[in-house]
Amino acid sequence: FIDPSGGCGDPAPLPQSGSEPPYNPNPWNTPSHQPNNNCYAYACDNPVPNRPIKPQPGNASGKPPLKQKEITCTSVSVRAVADGYTPVDCDACCPNGTYKVALVVDPHVDYHWYRQDQGGNFSHKPGGGPTTNLDNNGNLIIDPRQANTGSYTNFCGCYCVPAGGIPVK
């Protein structure tokens, strides 16, 4: 057993590939980007101004949108994998050229994605709201499995995403 705090009481970040995007909320929080992008666009690192419809897992691969009653870890994961996400153990490194994201679900209500940034912390973009690296308690997100994710009570897993993002529709 390895103590994730390194024995010092402070949690250590999850392993990184070296291909993580920088945490820079400014472009995501502009009036042309903030309301038109969501957590999935953010996890995919694909900001698009004036997007008419926010992207959803599976859109890029041609899958139909999920109905609210269909939202489960499995259904969202299947669509994200079809778009190019690769499942990975959260405590493992993503391959070079990819970075880690994490999925949580409020069953039959909504899903939410977190993205690991340079330095190891995670950040996210709640719906049309501003991008942040804080959880619902106002704490830095070091490990989304231990963060306060509000009503998103099901932690679904981690995935690797190609650096430079995934085009989403």
Side-chain angles (χ1 to χ4, degrees):
F1 172 76
I2 297 174
D3 179 359
S5 72
C8 298
D10 291 328
L14 296 177
Q16 302 166 67
S17 68
S19 300
E20 291 76 19
Y23 175 62
N24 180 7
N26 295 335
W28 290 92
N29 293 342
T30 63
S32 66
H33 282 74
Q34 181 177 316
N36 300 300
N37 288 277
N38 59 5
C39 64
Y40 193 61
Y42 186 73
C44 292
D45 199 21
N46 186 263
V48 176
N50 304 316
R51 189 188 299 269
I53 298 173
K54 292 179 182 76
Q56 305 298 319
N59 287 163
S61 55
K63 296 200 176 300
L66 280 170
K67 294 178 176 71
Q68 191 172 18
K69 66 182 180 180
E70 299 172 329
I71 296 175
T72 64
C73 287
T74 300
S75 63
V76 177
S77 179
V78 163
R79 284 167 169 73
V81 168
D83 285 351
Y85 283 36
T86 304
V88 66
D89 182 311
C90 293
D91 294 313
C93 237
C94 284
N96 288 338
T98 65
Y99 61 90
K100 193 175 294 169
V101 299
L103 171 64
V104 293
V105 164
D106 181 349
H108 311 294
V109 177
D110 199 12
Y111 62 84
H112 192 64
W113 293 93
Y114 294 86
R115 180 181 89 185
Q116 190 175 36
D117 300 316
Q118 288 175 8
N121 290 337
F122 282 75
S123 58
H124 62 124
K125 185 176 183 316
T131 301
T132 181
N133 59 0
L134 304 176
D135 71 6
N136 287 0
N137 284 337
N139 297 318
L140 284 174
I141 304 167
I142 297 168
D143 184 336
R145 296 173 294 186
Q146 298 170 4
N148 180 338
T149 58
S151 63
Y152 298 91
T153 55
N154 288 11
F155 184 84
C156 304
C158 290
Y159 304 80
C160 299
V161 176
I166 292 177
V168 291
K169 298 179 181 177

